[in-house]
Amino acid sequence: MLHTILEKRQLSHDLERGQSVYYFKVTAPEIARNRKAGQFIIFQIDRDLGERVPLTIADANAEEGWIAIVFQTVGATTLKLSQLEVGDEIPVLLGPLGSPTHIEKIGTVVCVGGGIGVAPMHPIVQAHKKAGNKVIAIIGARSKDLVIFEDEMRAIADEVIVVTDDGSYGRKGLVTDPLKELCEGKDGHAMPNEVVAIGPPIMMKFCVATAKPFGVPITVSLNTIMIDGTGMCGGCRVSVGGETKFVCVDGPEFDGYKVDFDNMMTRMGAFRAREQEEYHKCRIGLDAKAGA
């Protein structure tokens, strides 16, 4: 089954890094009917060849039969994906994969999203609100131009706090600043019953360090290198509580206190130079094609 692109939007563009973030709404009726918060898909641009890339499902509509994916152009495959337009088709879209987010009525949940991690946090906020929890969303970005999914979060969360590194929008600082204040119970807030964090590994690592002194449970969603999505290749393995886990089948969510972030970040950086090389080759090819 081919998956048709129904909507395409560019959410942000990072001039410093030359990367853009895109929103695609894609036909995927079976995935839309069966997905749960926290699960992801794997896509391929070419049916028989090419990289397999995991993306967390950012939204879905079971009745209309579509899912939404949000991605950043960090490598050749995501750059090629960004060149597709409405009406084009993605030949391979596998999912839903991974274990769903554990959702129950527990009280107050603080959901921390950094950068592109705000998009996959969206269905988790939806699910916690539906379960009857109070949800406070913290959105972090380097600058105002890179803030995404703010309107979507404000439509469902009880409170939204926006933080930018340079102070160009919302509060100046890091996501850990308001997280610490919430854990301290400042400004009339009750200590959260749970924290959920999605974003760059270093951000999640420091969210865990922030919550730890207060003993607040924290769940993190990992986005490691994946190949087959079934746990057979072992590419996505991480150390959790001293045990080897596979993000694609055991995760993507884990107890943040048990994740060995340093080991995970080392593994994730193993192919970064090759990824950048392939990205630039693809970019040069696309520019040459456009100028022909």
Side-chain angles (χ1 to χ4, degrees), residues 70-82:
V70 174
F71 63 95
Q72 188 172 30
T73 54
V74 295
T77 302
T78 47
L79 182 58
K80 290 176 184 177
L81 180 65
S82 73

Side-chain angles (χ1 to χ4, degrees), residues 33-253:
R33 279 194 292 268
N34 292 286
R35 68 96 199 193
K36 292 182 174 61
Q39 293 186 296
F40 64 95
I41 58 93
I42 284 180
F43 79 89
Q44 280 181 255
I45 289 293
D46 303 306
R47 178 175 293 278
D48 300 316
L49 300 171
E51 184 183 19
R52 295 161 62 89
V53 178
L55 294 172
T56 308
I57 301 168
D59 202 359
N61 187 306
E63 294 181 359
E64 296 179 6
W66 57 262
I67 65 169
I69 54 175
V70 174
F71 63 95
Q72 188 172 30
T73 54
V74 295
T77 302
T78 47
L79 182 58
K80 290 176 184 177
L81 180 65
S82 73
Q83 301 304 300
L84 299 182
E85 301 294 343
V86 172
D88 289 338
E89 295 174 326
I90 301 173
V92 178
L93 203 65
L94 175 66
L97 299 171
S99 299
T101 304
H102 177 73
I103 303 290
E104 62 177 316
K105 186 174 182 180
I106 56 174
T108 300
V109 180
V110 176
C111 294
V112 188
I116 195 172
V118 179
M121 185 65 80
H122 180 248
I124 296 173
V125 172
Q126 287 178 318
H128 274 298
K129 279 299 298 178
K130 187 176 180 180
N133 293 311
K134 177 181 179 180
V135 180
I136 301 173
I138 302 174
I139 295 176
R142 295 203 319 277
S143 65
K144 180 179 180 179
D145 293 341
L146 302 180
V147 174
I148 66 169
F149 262 61
E150 180 185 359
D151 292 340
E152 289 85 348
M153 287 299 197
R154 291 195 184 280
I156 50 177
D158 295 279
E159 182 179 349
V160 175
I161 302 169
V162 180
V163 181
T164 52
D165 294 359
D166 62 3
S168 56
Y169 187 58
R171 290 180 49 172
K172 181 177 182 179
L174 305 175
V175 293
T176 49
D177 298 332
L179 175 60
K180 183 174 185 289
E181 293 168 4
L182 291 169
C183 288
E184 291 173 335
K186 288 188 175 180
D187 299 324
H189 290 99
M191 182 184 290
N193 300 94
E194 182 182 3
V195 174
V196 183
I198 306 179
I202 192 67
M203 183 215 84
M204 293 189 287
K205 177 181 176 179
F206 282 104
C207 284
V208 170
T210 300
K212 189 172 183 178
F214 304 96
V216 178
I218 179 167
T219 299
V220 295
S221 181
L222 309 182
N223 187 10
T224 53
I225 297 167
M226 292 188 193
I227 300 174
D228 65 357
T230 66
M232 296 294 289
C233 73
C236 67
R237 65 186 181 275
V238 291
S239 178
V240 180
E243 298 181 356
T244 297
K245 299 289 184 180
F246 300 101
V247 173
C248 65
V249 290
D250 298 318
E253 296 180 357

